[in-house]
Amino acid sequence: MPIVTTTTLISTILVFTSAFCTSTANAAISDDSYIAGYAAGVLKHSLKIDIPSLVVRNGIIAVPAGDLPAAERARIVQVLSGIPGVTAVQVVESTVQQPVITPPAPDVAITAEGIPATDAAVLPTGALPEGHLFKPLLADPRWAHFSAAYRNYVGRDIDGNNNGAVSFGETIPFYRANLAQPFFRSTVQWEAGLQAAVFSDFNLGGPSSDLINTDFIASAYSSMRVGHFSAFARVFHQSSHLGDEFLLRTRLQRINLSYEGADLRLSYEFPYGIRIYGGGGGIFHRDPSTLKPWTTQYGIEFRSPWRTRFASMRPIAAVDVKNHEQNNWNSDVSVRAGIQFDKFGAFGRRLQFLMEYFSGNSPTGQFYIQKVEYLGIGAHYHY
């Protein structure tokens, strides 16, 4: 079987992305009349508020500040932002004339799904707020989210060539606030919460689709955003466990792999939906004690600012690279690309179908020393 190189796959992804964007750039405008009616109905029946001056243009809702009860402003913005097809909610201070809506230019990135990356863009604040200040890392094999994927190992595998991988988890913000409130108005925001996930791998060719390995990750985190810049820091625990059927069949000597650590990632969003990030961390309590502590991580992502009218579909692509001191700083390369359906959302999540490629030391905990290479396809569900 021919070996797929990282360069070949990335080139294919770039061609796919370019073709998709060219064909969909002119189809990005949502049905404004539908959104306006939807928004008016939601406000009237759910919040008992009537705002006749609400205006929608190019998927952007503009509401005069004078029409919004001060105590309900954050809640109203949150509700309107969750309407399918809405790309932004603007609270216009001036009520003297009809609010003028400026659609996001094609060179404006997206800070959160549907919110333009301007310095004044802020997310709802308070307890259990919606959205995230630091966007998910799309190609990170160990970013907490819900997913299910099929993987075909090329040449080297951890247990069989045909594997299934699932993850269950989320990043949950408990509290968000604007920095320095209530003394002055600020667009610098911070949040704190928990991030936790379970990652499991299965040998689909085994007698009973044997469980190979499960990784448990739990952390307390804090993140910050100002304009196009965001940061994410956490203190985390990870432990890895082999499946019973796998142990009985292979008689493999298991490792009691468990450690605690801390890491930091910094992110910056450029025009046209391009984002770069980087960071690193270390582990301070580890078993086995011979584990070397330091890790670096960096990557690039593309979230198209354009989407099709049909199903509100947009292309996305990402490359993530990790280097572990334990593995002599070898690069673990993860590449993912596919489409995101903005309208197929629940509780603020977005559904993605992604192709994936990985080459490097296995992200599966108990096999961290073993080199692997695989191709796959999966479904991913993010906030």
Side-chain angles (χ1 to χ4, degrees):
M1 180 180 293
I3 302 299
V4 180
T5 65
T6 304
T7 302
T8 302
L9 190 68
I10 293 175
S11 299
T12 302
I13 289 169
L14 291 176
V15 171
F16 160 78
T17 301
S18 175
F20 192 100
C21 290
T22 301
S23 64
T24 61
N26 295 324
I29 300 175
S30 301
D31 188 344
D32 295 337
S33 59
Y34 166 79
I35 294 174
Y38 196 133
V42 168
L43 292 175
K44 185 171 184 179
H45 296 289
S46 298
L47 301 178
K48 309 302 181 185
I49 297 174
D50 189 12
I51 305 179
S53 55
L54 179 147
V55 176
V56 181
R57 191 171 302 159
N58 297 328
I60 305 171
I61 298 178
V63 186
D67 291 351
L68 300 180
E72 295 290 330
R73 180 176 297 187
R75 174 61 176 162
I76 291 171
V77 171
Q78 179 177 347
V79 169
L80 294 179
S81 299
I83 294 175
V86 172
T87 58
V89 177
Q90 295 181 353
V91 178
V92 183
E93 296 296 336
S94 174
T95 58
V96 176
Q97 58 183 6
Q98 189 77 354
V100 178
I101 305 175
T102 303
D107 63 342
V108 175
I110 304 297
T111 61
E113 296 303 328
I115 299 179
T118 64
D119 289 340
V122 294
L123 294 181
T125 58
L128 297 175
E130 188 177 73
H132 297 104
L133 298 181
F134 189 91
K135 291 191 295 185
L137 301 183
L138 298 179
D140 184 349
R142 286 298 181 264
W143 187 265
H145 70 294
F146 290 87
S147 70
Y150 165 77
R151 292 169 179 169
N152 178 260
Y153 282 77
V154 182
R156 297 162 292 181
D157 61 79
I158 56 175
D159 186 40
N161 291 103
N162 299 306
N163 282 190
V166 297
S167 68
F168 305 91
E170 270 301 351
T171 303
I172 304 174
F174 283 174
Y175 186 79
R176 181 184 301 139
N178 293 337
L179 195 64
Q181 279 191 331
F183 304 107
F184 61 89
R185 190 174 179 179
S186 171
T187 59
V188 180
Q189 293 189 293
W190 66 271
E191 70 183 28
L194 293 178
Q195 184 183 68
V198 177
F199 299 88
S200 294
D201 294 88
F202 299 85
N203 181 356
L204 300 181
S208 58
S209 297
D210 302 347
L211 172 64
I212 302 170
N213 178 89
T214 297
D215 293 333
F216 296 90
I217 302 176
S219 68
Y221 84 90
S222 181
S223 60
M224 182 270 290
R225 169 175 287 279
V226 52
H228 303 270
F229 173 81
S230 60
F232 183 94
R234 63 173 184 166
V235 177
F236 66 91
H237 163 85
Q238 177 171 337
S239 61
S240 301
H241 308 270
L242 295 174
D244 293 339
E245 297 93 341
F246 174 80
L247 281 173
L248 290 172
R249 178 166 48 81
T250 63
R251 304 294 180 181
L252 183 72
Q253 182 64 42
R254 68 175 297 274
I255 302 171
N256 185 30
L257 184 64
S258 176
Y259 51 85
E260 285 75 45
D263 54 29
L264 170 68
R265 301 176 183 91
L266 306 178
S267 167
Y268 191 83
E269 291 150 29
F270 291 92
Y272 294 101
I274 297 173
R275 174 200 191 193
I276 62 171
Y277 61 87
I283 53 178
F284 48 78
H285 179 271
R286 52 194 184 271
D287 187 8
S289 59
T290 55
L291 282 175
K292 296 178 181 179
W294 303 111
T295 300
T296 64
Q297 181 178 13
Y298 46 95
I300 184 169
E301 297 178 345
F302 172 73
R303 290 171 169 86
S304 174
W306 306 287
R307 64 184 177 190
T308 63
R309 184 184 299 274
F310 171 73
S312 290
M313 184 173 62
R314 72 175 79 233
I316 57 178
V319 179
D320 179 84
V321 182
K322 291 182 181 179
N323 304 97
H324 298 272
E325 182 186 11
Q326 175 66 38
N327 296 321
N328 298 317
W329 301 109
N330 294 326
S331 294
D332 303 335
V333 181
S334 173
V335 183
R336 291 178 179 172
I339 52 177
Q340 173 176 291
F341 295 91
D342 288 346
K343 282 191 176 180
F344 291 94
F347 306 107
R349 297 184 177 94
R350 296 294 182 264
L351 177 63
Q352 302 167 349
F353 289 102
L354 304 177
M355 299 178 296
E356 59 182 55
Y357 169 77
F358 181 89
S359 177
N361 289 89
S362 175
T364 301
Q366 290 277 335
F367 301 87
Y368 64 92
I369 296 177
Q370 186 169 337
K371 287 272 194 175
V372 298
E373 184 177 20
Y374 63 74
L375 292 165
I377 185 169
H380 302 259
Y381 218 30
H382 287 277
Y383 268 107

